[in-house]
Amino acid sequence: MERRLTAILAADVVGFSRLMGVDEVATLAALNGHRRDLIDGKFAEHQGRIVKLTGDGILAEFASVVNALACAVDIQRGMMARNETVPHERRLEFRIGINLGDVIVEGADIFGDGVNVAARLEGIAKPGGITVSAVVRDQVGDRLALTFEDMGEQALKNIERPVRAYNVALAAAAAKPALPDKPSIAVLPFTNMSGDPEQEYFSDGISEDIITDLSKIAGLMVIARNSSFAYKGKNPDIRQVGRELGVRAVLEGSIRKAGNRVRITAQLIDAANGAHLWAERFDRDLTDIFAVQDEVTKHIVEALKVSLRPAEKALLAENRTSSTEAHDWFLRGRELLRGSIKNREVFEQMVAAFSRSIECDPDYAEPHAGLALSYVQEFHNNWGGTADALGVAARYAALALAKGPNDPYSHYGASVVTMFQRKFDDAIAHIEAIQALSPNYALGYSTRGMIETFRGNPLAGLPYTELSIKLDPGFKHQYLHFQGMLYLVAGDYRAAVTAFRARIKLVPESDLSRSFLASALGHLGEFDEARRIWRELMEINPKYTIAAHLARLPFQNQADADRIIEGLAKAGLAVG
């Protein structure tokens, strides 16, 4: 008997029998139109699976309670808009209930108290409304900027214990933007005005340095670099950026580097109305670049009226290096490390750039961390050429921490190294240090999710992965792969399939997600589909083997790795 933890959505049409009695042909046509034009698309958009349709009812499941509630909100708001021109007596309105619970899986269907509670919550929802259980309300928190109305303990039919229920105030939620309570900002990549495309690394690097500094401020929500840089070269409308990333302010600017001189323009813009909050131009010697970065950060903090704690002031005052040449080489190496193309040749370029940075300033912590992460890449991708690449990575990680004990990037490098060494307590200690030093460090949270997965506690990693998506929505494709992994290890194969399919939709060339997707499908008995996915994988990467892949992943429990192989074996796929 298969069980899993899942978010369950139950919905049905209010007064369906009455509407059918009045005009069954028109009612069915309207219902099918709503499903075709609105509802089915929303389930797909939020990675939900419709378990079954029962006339006027829908039962669906989601890997994430946030996705389940976001889908329900979109459906109800969409229905409100579609009903505006329909006479009241002919309107189709849904009630929706959502619960997070344990279910029994039989084929494509799900059963159990988790499902029953969702159905009973749907029964007490208002027409056009959504009612959720307390566990859903707690898991969602403030991620969707919704208002919850406490309905108290509810005695639900055939449910043994009372269930605390909450009504979702859709009208109130629709009236306010989905913004965090505290000041929030996205830093767009500064435009390279130097006339030399090879200077892109410099303008991008300065933008990322500003993001890094701002991320150290607990009273400010800062969107991660991956999401901000999705707008590179697009000249977007700032108000649209604010809506898409859920921030109140956006920083944009340009950099012109010529010889030993640099000109930086920066403007902080209110994302709600496009008004300038602050703007300035800096014409300086290149040796003053760090002072300019500090000034920009200071002006942003002042414009957004953010209070700094003494510890934050001290962290912001710490200079990474006094050598502009060391900083320049570090920016080159970091840009290569972040790039989408990774192979032995690029690895050697990364190592050369970080090594030159260290030659210029041996006490500079961040290039040591960059070397640690580079050698982890060599180990994980099995490029060869370095004996004990993971050991080399560990030595550089230790040097980075010794030279920069308060540097988040150094702790990030150390967390990745110790995770691959299966030193999970040490890895978590480094993540906790990152959270204290840089509360907005999205990669730190996603790494914590992976650590929990590899140490055999995958569902504990889910909140960290979801927080990564909140801080870094533009990098969702990577975090979906992590979510799929944790669900696969947890034995929640349907949720794993949903996450991996969403990942592949965003990254069609992904071979790693396909291998794990095929395993999950094998566990579900969907053998033909598993084989089809595996054939796609072989077309993308003919040399791929699951055995070699798993050998480089730091699973603490062999049973977790064996579960992945078992799913492939069930589908008759080679695992050598």
Side-chain angles (χ1 to χ4, degrees):
M1 180 184 295
E2 182 187 344
R3 288 183 176 272
R4 63 167 170 256
L5 184 69
T6 192
I8 308 122
L9 182 152
D12 80 350
V13 177
V14 179
F16 187 70
S17 297
R18 177 187 63 80
L19 292 166
M20 288 288 285
V22 174
D23 189 338
E24 63 181 18
V25 174
T27 298
L28 284 175
L31 178 59
N32 290 333
H34 291 317
R35 286 175 176 166
R36 181 186 63 248
D37 299 333
L38 172 68
I39 296 168
D40 290 352
K42 290 302 178 185
F43 280 113
E45 178 183 338
H46 295 285
Q47 293 98 51
R49 180 181 77 92
I50 295 178
V51 177
K52 58 185 173 185
L53 300 171
T54 56
D56 65 322
I58 301 171
L59 179 67
E61 65 170 350
F62 295 77
S64 158
V65 290
V66 174
N67 283 9
L69 184 51
C71 179
V73 169
D74 282 356
I75 288 173
Q76 294 294 44
R77 289 179 179 164
M79 289 299 297
M80 289 177 191
R82 293 169 72 88
N83 278 327
E84 284 180 354
T85 58
V86 179
H88 182 75
E89 67 275 11
R90 297 297 303 147
R91 290 179 180 176
L92 285 174
E93 293 182 299
F94 284 94
R95 291 189 179 96
I96 297 179
I98 302 176
N99 183 40
L100 175 67
D102 187 67
V103 299
I104 299 169
V105 182
E106 287 190 7
D109 211 345
I110 56 176
F111 304 89
D113 279 347
V115 176
N116 295 337
V117 170
R120 298 307 180 194
L121 289 170
E122 172 265 311
I124 66 172
K126 300 174 184 177
I130 305 167
T131 298
V132 303
S133 61
V135 66
V136 171
R137 190 259 176 272
D138 292 342
Q139 287 287 320
V140 171
D142 63 355
R143 291 183 177 92
L144 297 177
L146 295 169
T147 300
F148 296 88
E149 299 169 352
D150 191 347
M151 301 170 65
E153 299 283 351
Q154 298 287 317
L156 303 178
K157 184 179 179 181
N158 296 331
I159 303 299
E160 183 178 349
R161 290 183 296 276
V163 175
R164 193 170 198 89
Y166 291 82
N167 176 57
V168 180
L170 290 172
K176 66 177 184 177
L179 295 174
D181 292 334
K182 60 185 178 181
S184 50
I185 187 172
V187 178
L188 300 185
F190 280 33
T191 303
N192 171 28
M193 302 293 289
S194 303
D196 180 2
E198 292 188 3
Q199 291 297 319
E200 288 289 323
Y201 79 90
F202 184 78
S203 56
D204 288 353
I206 298 303
S207 309
E208 185 168 352
D209 281 351
I210 293 170
I211 293 172
T212 299
D213 285 342
L214 292 172
S215 294
K216 297 174 183 178
I217 303 170
L220 186 63
M221 181 187 140
V222 184
I223 293 296
R225 184 254 196 208
N226 297 304
S227 295
S228 296
F229 274 53
Y231 297 93
K232 184 177 173 66
K234 295 182 178 180
N235 192 28
D237 182 281
I238 296 301
R239 289 167 292 188
Q240 180 184 351
V241 173
R243 289 192 299 270
E244 291 177 350
L245 298 183
V247 294
R248 300 176 186 275
V250 175
L251 182 74
E252 64 173 6
S254 64
I255 296 179
R256 184 186 300 276
K257 181 184 175 187
N260 292 322
R261 296 289 293 177
V262 62
R263 169 177 289 179
I264 297 178
T265 63
Q267 45 269 347
L268 184 66
I269 301 170
D270 188 320
N273 55 29
H276 279 68
L277 300 173
W278 163 79
E280 192 160 335
R281 188 179 78 182
F282 304 88
D283 285 299
R284 303 286 179 85
D285 289 333
L286 191 58
T287 53
D288 291 332
I289 189 66
F290 307 120
V292 173
Q293 290 178 203
D294 291 343
E295 285 188 48
V296 171
T297 301
K298 176 186 174 184
H299 285 301
I300 291 170
V301 169
E302 290 174 349
L304 297 181
K305 298 179 173 58
V306 178
S307 298
L308 296 182
R309 297 173 298 174
E312 290 170 339
K313 291 180 180 178
L315 284 173
L316 290 173
E318 288 187 5
N319 286 323
R320 296 179 177 86
T321 179
S322 58
S323 169
T324 55
E325 187 177 1
H327 181 246
D328 190 85
W329 280 109
F330 169 68
L331 295 184
R332 292 172 188 263
R334 186 175 64 182
E335 194 67 19
L336 290 167
L337 186 59
R338 283 201 178 275
S340 58
I341 300 175
K342 299 287 178 64
N343 52 39
R344 180 76 199 179
E345 181 182 356
V346 174
F347 163 74
E348 291 173 353
Q349 292 172 6
M350 290 188 287
V351 169
F354 289 133
S355 297
R356 286 288 302 273
S357 177
I358 292 170
E359 289 174 9
C360 296
D361 183 354
D363 292 324
Y364 192 7
E366 288 181 299
H368 288 87
L371 282 173
L373 291 166
S374 299
Y375 280 100
V376 168
Q377 288 275 346
E378 184 188 26
F379 167 79
H380 184 238
N381 289 290
N382 199 28
W383 287 325
T386 303
D388 189 19
L390 194 57
V392 174
R395 290 197 292 276
Y396 280 116
L399 284 168
L401 288 171
K403 297 172 186 298
N406 292 325
D407 175 43
Y409 194 62
S410 296
H411 281 282
Y412 172 63
S415 72
V416 174
V417 170
T418 50
M419 178 182 74
F420 275 97
Q421 291 178 317
R422 297 184 176 87
K423 298 178 180 179
F424 298 115
D425 289 342
D426 290 345
I428 287 177
H430 289 301
I431 296 298
E432 290 174 345
I434 293 171
Q435 292 168 352
L437 293 166
S438 184
N440 293 282
Y441 207 98
L443 280 174
Y445 293 109
S446 67
T447 303
R448 175 67 182 267
M450 292 307 300
I451 292 167
E452 296 292 354
T453 299
F454 289 131
R455 76 187 312 195
N457 193 22
L459 291 180
L462 184 58
Y464 296 103
T465 307
E466 291 183 340
L467 182 56
S468 297
I469 292 173
K470 178 181 178 181
L471 291 170
D472 196 2
F475 206 51
K476 185 177 181 179
H477 59 277
Q478 187 65 37
Y479 304 134
L480 282 169
H481 179 75
F482 295 160
Q483 278 193 346
M485 277 193 65
L486 69 85
Y487 279 123
L488 180 57
V489 172
D492 192 344
Y493 304 121
R494 183 58 63 187
V497 166
T498 299
F500 286 130
R501 285 197 186 283
R503 151 79 171 178
I504 291 168
K505 185 177 181 180
L506 295 171
V507 187
E509 70 276 12
S510 174
D511 55 347
L512 303 184
S513 290
R514 278 183 171 80
S515 66
F516 291 148
L517 172 58
S519 174
L521 290 167
H523 279 292
L524 291 171
E526 299 179 21
F527 302 141
D528 289 342
E529 180 65 4
R531 293 169 191 143
R532 186 187 71 80
I533 294 296
W534 192 263
R535 287 195 297 272
E536 289 182 353
L537 186 159
M538 288 292 104
E539 290 175 3
I540 294 169
N541 183 1
K543 296 181 179 180
Y544 178 88
T545 68
I546 189 67
H549 184 184
L550 292 177
R552 298 190 297 276
L553 295 180
F555 285 108
Q556 179 169 271
N557 304 319
Q558 183 60 39
D560 292 333
D562 290 344
R563 182 178 291 109
I564 297 170
I565 293 176
E566 180 187 350
L568 295 172
K570 285 180 178 179
L573 295 168
V575 296

